[in-house]
Amino acid sequence: LLQKQQTPFPDCYNATLALLRNIVETNRWPDTSVARSKVIRSLPSSSSSTTTEASKASSPSSGSFTVVNPKRQVSSYNLPLANALFPELVKAVFELEETLSKEHTLKQTDGKTLLEHSKEEEQRRPPSSHCAINCNAQFTPHVDSGRGSGQSLSMIVGLGDYIGGELAVEGSMYDIRYEPLEFDGWKLRHWTNMYQGERFSLVWFTPAEFSVDAATTQER
């Protein structure tokens, strides 16, 4: 097995990565929904009758959960449990998205061509309403569905010490380790390449029902 490295990474990821690692180290990673489990390869089932508490504690945390940006909440939508469980993480992941949009030249792909975003204010990525948070989750080929219906462009980035784990979009491979990438997860087939090590990923997106003026939602 690949031992955890302490390879350097941009400072803006420090807070988020520390919080993610703490959730894993304290065995607090939430269960993955049934729907999302169907597109994750070999995800251990916490509901299996053969899964003991001891075996769960000794195996690496893995899975996926979603948090919602409180500033983009709509009145008809209840915040997920993870927002209450991990308020510091919620704050950190959406602040990270804002930082990446302001300070980094974002890349975007349609599965064939790789484009770069300008950091000029009028071309910056708007704040997302949701973020899917993944740990050691190797996704199988799929397009987003359900909560992601009609979503905006997703932005994904990988964190942690791992080798491999590229994002495949329509067969093209992209290294996302501390390299944010935008793509249309609703239309483009995508999956996770094989990897070794500790791999987290964050996927920011905004479903159609949340695509309203930010000023309106911030007043609620």
Side-chain angles (χ1 to χ4, degrees), residues 3-46:
Q3 294 184 345
K4 186 189 293 185
Q5 308 169 39
Q6 294 299 326
T7 52
F9 54 87
D11 289 344
C12 63
Y13 293 95
N14 277 329
T16 300
L17 184 57
L19 290 166
L20 291 169
R21 284 174 168 168
N22 178 261
I23 293 171
V24 171
E25 291 166 0
T26 54
N27 295 314
R28 293 183 295 138
W29 198 268
D31 290 340
T32 304
S33 70
V34 173
R36 194 169 296 179
S37 296
K38 293 178 180 179
V39 293
I40 300 179
R41 193 183 307 279
S42 302
L43 182 63
S45 173
S46 61

Side-chain angles (χ1 to χ4, degrees), residues 57-218:
S58 62
S59 62
S61 293
S62 63
S64 176
F65 64 92
T66 297
V67 296
V68 169
N69 187 345
K71 295 181 180 179
R72 295 293 310 274
Q73 185 188 10
V74 296
S75 58
S76 61
Y77 190 92
N78 293 324
L79 290 175
L81 177 60
N83 273 64
L85 293 175
F86 311 119
E88 291 183 354
L89 180 62
V90 172
K91 182 174 184 290
V93 296
F94 290 110
E95 287 182 349
L96 176 59
E97 181 191 29
E98 182 178 2
T99 298
L100 294 176
S101 178
K102 288 181 178 179
E103 300 180 5
H104 293 255
T105 299
L106 300 181
K107 296 179 180 179
Q108 184 182 125
T109 184
D110 59 4
K112 298 178 182 178
T113 307
L114 193 62
L115 305 173
E116 289 190 349
H117 265 303
S118 168
K119 289 185 287 187
E120 297 300 322
E121 186 170 358
E122 64 273 11
Q123 297 186 39
R124 288 177 188 166
R125 177 182 176 84
S128 298
S129 64
H130 291 60
C131 184
I133 301 174
N134 311 307
C135 174
N136 297 328
Q138 184 182 357
F139 285 83
T140 58
H142 69 285
V143 292
D144 296 338
S145 60
R147 185 172 292 169
S149 179
Q151 68 186 22
S152 62
L153 282 177
S154 300
M155 182 170 74
I156 185 171
V157 69
L159 302 84
D161 283 299
Y162 63 90
I163 296 173
E166 297 86 359
L167 175 72
V169 182
E170 295 292 345
S172 297
M173 296 290 178
Y174 301 96
D175 182 5
I176 60 167
R177 185 171 179 269
Y178 301 114
E179 292 289 342
L181 178 70
E182 290 185 315
F183 70 104
D184 189 338
W186 183 248
K187 296 179 180 178
L188 300 175
R189 196 163 171 260
H190 55 283
W191 62 94
T192 313
N193 199 16
M194 294 180 64
Y195 67 91
Q196 287 182 297
E198 166 210 54
R199 185 183 186 276
F200 298 99
S201 64
L202 305 174
V203 187
W204 292 274
F205 63 98
T206 302
E209 64 180 303
F210 282 78
S211 297
V212 295
D213 184 75
T216 301
T217 58
Q218 286 175 358

